[in-house]
Amino acid sequence: CVNQHCCKINGRVETFCSTVVARGDRVEFIVQKQSSPSIKKLDLKSILFEDNSLLIFNKPSGINCDERGILALFKNYLPSAILVHRLDRDTTGALIIAKNKDVFHKFVDQFKEFSVKKTYLAIVDGILKKDHGIVENYLGKKQEYAGQTIWGSVEKSKGLYACTDWERLEQGN
């Protein structure tokens, strides 16, 4: 968002990701619906880590985790790229890409064993009633839309157990 000049702090367009926001600052985001992926070519600066087995990529918002989205970016740089997991189109974050099938299957096993810990950071509009909590439910396929699977809460017999511990780190006005 900063690169696209859609963030204002105290009425001024912010252009630095490292800006520290202080208590009382007014932060505004100009949200624009994107109809197509926001990037057309691979930005090597977005590679967070790479070795002989895997690559970790900082996925921007607005691009799908599929063959026409993220994998299309890697077709020339890393033709053997295999997505280990997915992030929603509008979610940014570290995306793990295996460089071969053996590494991919090792990660799949870790996901099956629930030994993978995921951490998310969110900015929430509104005031939370609690400082922390646990969300437990069962997730399953709800529907498909435009080739993407839509997951959501389902009854126990039709879903996979999901547990999310959350805590509020800070609260503004």
Side-chain angles (χ1 to χ4, degrees):
C1 186
V2 170
N3 295 337
Q4 298 166 353
H5 304 290
C6 59
C7 175
K8 289 183 179 181
I9 299 179
N10 300 323
R12 182 177 55 89
V13 173
E14 186 52 59
T15 56
F16 297 99
C17 295
S18 60
T19 299
V20 177
V21 180
R23 183 177 299 273
D25 282 349
R26 180 176 171 83
V27 179
E28 299 174 63
F29 292 101
I30 303 162
V31 180
Q32 297 173 338
K33 184 106 172 118
Q34 295 176 333
S35 58
S36 61
S38 60
I39 53 179
K40 301 287 186 207
K41 67 177 194 162
L42 179 63
D43 180 1
L44 295 178
K45 292 182 285 186
S46 294
I47 295 175
L48 303 173
F49 174 84
E50 183 175 14
D51 66 10
N52 292 334
S53 303
L54 61 97
L55 181 145
I56 301 176
F57 180 71
N58 186 18
K59 184 191 97 58
S61 174
I63 189 162
N64 290 331
C65 284
D66 61 13
E67 294 76 25
R68 293 178 308 191
I70 205 77
L71 289 180
L73 290 176
F74 282 94
K75 70 180 173 188
N76 293 328
Y77 181 77
L78 183 60
S80 64
I82 307 168
L83 281 176
V84 170
H85 64 99
R86 298 176 185 271
L87 295 173
D88 289 342
R89 176 185 171 92
D90 294 327
T91 300
T92 62
L95 189 64
I96 302 171
I97 298 171
K99 291 188 172 184
N100 60 62
K101 289 182 181 180
D102 289 338
V103 171
F104 171 76
H105 290 297
K106 286 179 183 178
F107 274 104
V108 168
D109 290 342
Q110 289 180 28
F111 277 96
K112 284 181 181 177
E113 295 166 0
F114 298 104
S115 62
V116 175
K117 180 182 177 189
K118 301 175 192 176
T119 302
Y120 297 89
L121 180 64
I123 297 174
V124 179
D125 183 19
I127 304 297
L128 297 172
K129 294 179 182 173
K130 298 179 184 177
D131 289 333
H132 57 84
I134 297 175
V135 178
E136 292 181 283
N137 57 16
Y138 291 85
L139 300 177
K141 183 177 175 178
K142 298 283 275 189
Q143 64 177 323
E144 286 189 26
Y145 175 75
Q148 298 293 314
T149 300
I150 308 297
W151 288 73
S153 192
V154 297
E155 55 189 73
K156 183 176 180 177
S157 64
K158 295 182 180 179
L160 298 171
Y161 176 73
C163 179
T164 301
D165 294 306
W166 65 270
E167 68 176 308
R168 176 175 52 208
L169 301 177
E170 294 184 34
Q171 178 175 315
N173 295 330

